Structures are given as structure tokens and as C-alpha cells.
Amino acid sequence: MKRFVLIFLFIIFSSSLFGLDQESYRFLDHLLAIKKAGAPELYEDAVIFTFPSTSRRVGIAFAHEGFSTVHWFKKLMKTENPPEPTPGTEKKKTATNPVYIDSGILFFVYEFPEGLKELRYRLIIDGLWVTDPNNPNYRMDSSTGIVHSVMSLPEIYPIDYEKRPAIYSAPAGSLRFMFDGDPGQRVTVAGTFNNWDPFMYELTENYPGHYELVLPLSPGTYRYVFYYKGERVLDPNNPRKVYTREGQTASEAVVK
């Protein structure tokens, strides 16, 4: 019989044993989808850095922190189920502990500070300070002559939250959801108003890449997320974020 192997990428939740901290936990689903190390990636209000685990130890330090703190990458693990037994050789199933295997990826999730326009950073790879080989953008610091890797950040989280409303312009008793992305996509919204059903409400593409939906809602506070390209996405236009009872993050808005 052909050998079937089912591989699950996963992250172990014990920081003392396997390195996943609570800050990284809310990015679990997205981390599981990473197939190989590559360029730093913007995701929600964070940057995900990855590097091949062939290096023994990888860290990162940022210019806005004065390069005084080194943040060490964690190892992303996977577990592999044993192959199915040959017919006639099956034995009584017994509980076995999973075997954890290196996925080949080291990662670090950095939730960048509000108002920061760009990240300037350097990596520490097995004790050597270098620019990020996966990031082609770099710039020399004129005061030190040291070359920094550079990554621009989106202006989606204003410093003064009070000056930016969480409620979009919409008729009384309703909430307008807006999302910008690639054209021709299916964007849906789910939240406390529909028991988190990801298929019930679909936004309309009013013009290429811009999606909207006006949803009648009774006065109250609602939590929600968008579903875009199969992934759960916070509202990039809404700075109000909360944790749900399930331990996930969600956007929050108020209908008056």
C-alpha cells in the first residue's frame, strides 16, 4: 500500500519548552500557513520575520529601540503521523506521544508601535550582525556608516485613537463596513451580530479593490472580523481591537 503521510504544521503553546509567547499566539493560523522562510511580511498590526532554521540562532534589533534589545526568533515545529500499517499487520491502536520535527523555519512576530513610519533593523545570525538577506531594502546610517535593513509601515493605526471614529458614516441604526484589497475578491464580514458566521454577509465591490456593506443593526457594541482570501483579517480602518472569549482578536464598533 502506498505510504500516506499527513503532516500538520503547528506551534507548541508552552513558551518554556517550545518558544511560542502569548503575543504571537493570536497569529497562530497565519503562522501555520507559512511554507518556507522568506521576506518580512506585514500582517494586521505586525511584521512577521522568518529565517531558515539551518542557522543555530537568529535575533533582530531595531533602530527605534537603539539596538539595545535583541529579540530572538522562535522555532516553528511540525508533527508527522506514522504511516498506515500494511493490511494484515494492524495492531491494536495505542495512544502515542506526537513526534515534533523542525519545520525548517525560525520566526519572530513584531507588533510595531503606533505612529512608526518605518522599521530600521539588523539581524544577528549565529553571533554575526548583518542586514536581512531576505529584504532588498536597506539604507546606510550617515552618523554611524552602518547599513540598516528598512521596511515601510502602513499608516493604519493613528497615535490619537480618540480623534478617529470607530463608526463609519451610515444611516442611524446601521454600520458601514469598508475594506480595500485586490479587485475581484470575495470579502465577507462576521461578528457578534451573526454568531461569527463567515458566509452570511458579503461586501460589494463598489469599484476595483474597494468593498462596502451597510448592515442594519440595533444600537450596541459589536465585534467583528473580515474574511479575505480565506484568512481572518482585522479591520485596517478601525483602531479599536479587543480579545474575544476564544482568545482571538477582533475589531470593535458601536452603533448608536
Side-chain angles (χ1 to χ4, degrees):
M1 176 181 288
K2 183 179 178 180
R3 178 178 179 174
F4 293 95
V5 178
L6 182 60
I7 298 177
F8 294 96
L9 285 180
F10 76 102
I11 297 177
I12 307 303
F13 303 121
S14 170
S15 60
S16 60
L17 293 178
F18 300 100
L20 181 67
D21 52 38
Q22 190 63 32
E23 293 299 320
S24 302
Y25 177 73
R26 70 184 179 93
F27 299 95
L28 174 62
D29 290 341
H30 190 72
L31 286 167
L32 295 180
I34 298 176
K35 302 302 182 183
K36 64 178 181 179
E41 176 190 5
L42 277 168
Y43 185 74
E44 294 182 1
D45 59 341
V47 178
I48 298 177
F49 297 90
T50 55
F51 205 81
S53 64
T54 48
S55 296
R56 290 181 292 105
R57 201 177 193 201
V58 177
I60 187 170
F62 299 100
H64 66 274
E65 296 177 344
F67 295 104
S68 59
T69 301
V70 176
H71 306 273
W72 297 107
F73 284 45
K74 313 292 185 180
K75 183 175 289 188
L76 185 66
M77 306 295 289
K78 68 180 179 181
T79 184
E80 185 178 64
N81 284 354
E84 293 183 358
T86 302
T89 63
E90 296 90 342
K91 295 182 180 180
K92 184 179 180 180
K93 293 183 178 180
T94 58
T96 58
N97 293 326
V99 177
Y100 303 131
I101 305 171
D102 180 7
S103 70
I105 298 172
L106 301 174
F107 75 95
F108 174 67
V109 177
Y110 185 66
E111 297 181 62
F112 50 83
E114 302 160 15
L116 194 65
K117 303 296 184 183
E118 67 176 13
L119 283 179
R120 290 187 292 117
Y121 66 95
R122 286 174 64 81
L123 297 182
I124 304 92
I125 303 175
D126 294 337
L128 180 65
W129 288 75
V130 297
T131 55
D132 186 349
N134 294 319
N135 183 357
N137 301 312
Y138 56 87
R139 185 168 63 245
M140 179 179 292
D141 187 312
S142 58
S143 62
T144 63
I146 297 175
V147 178
H148 300 161
S149 294
V150 180
M151 185 172 188
S152 298
L153 299 176
E155 296 182 5
I156 59 175
Y157 293 97
I159 296 177
D160 189 353
Y161 282 6
E162 298 301 324
K163 292 183 179 179
R164 181 166 182 170
I167 306 172
Y168 307 123
S169 58
S174 63
L175 183 64
R176 184 188 305 275
F177 299 98
M178 298 183 294
F179 188 87
D180 293 293
D182 294 335
Q185 301 296 317
R186 185 171 188 262
V187 182
T188 61
V189 62
T192 52
F193 44 78
N194 70 340
N195 200 30
W196 298 99
D197 185 335
F199 305 106
M200 184 178 296
Y201 296 120
E202 181 175 354
L203 280 66
T204 300
E205 188 172 13
N206 291 345
Y207 55 85
H210 180 77
Y211 305 82
E212 290 191 20
L213 171 68
V214 176
L215 191 64
L217 293 172
S218 302
T221 300
Y222 297 92
R223 296 175 179 180
Y224 65 95
V225 294
F226 294 118
Y227 282 87
Y228 174 67
K229 295 185 177 180
E231 294 187 352
R232 178 188 173 104
V233 182
L234 295 180
D235 187 346
N237 297 304
N238 185 354
R240 293 181 61 171
K241 298 183 299 178
V242 295
Y243 282 92
T244 67
R245 293 180 179 178
E246 294 76 24
Q248 295 180 311
T249 51
S251 298
E252 185 178 75
V254 178
V255 175
K256 297 181 178 180

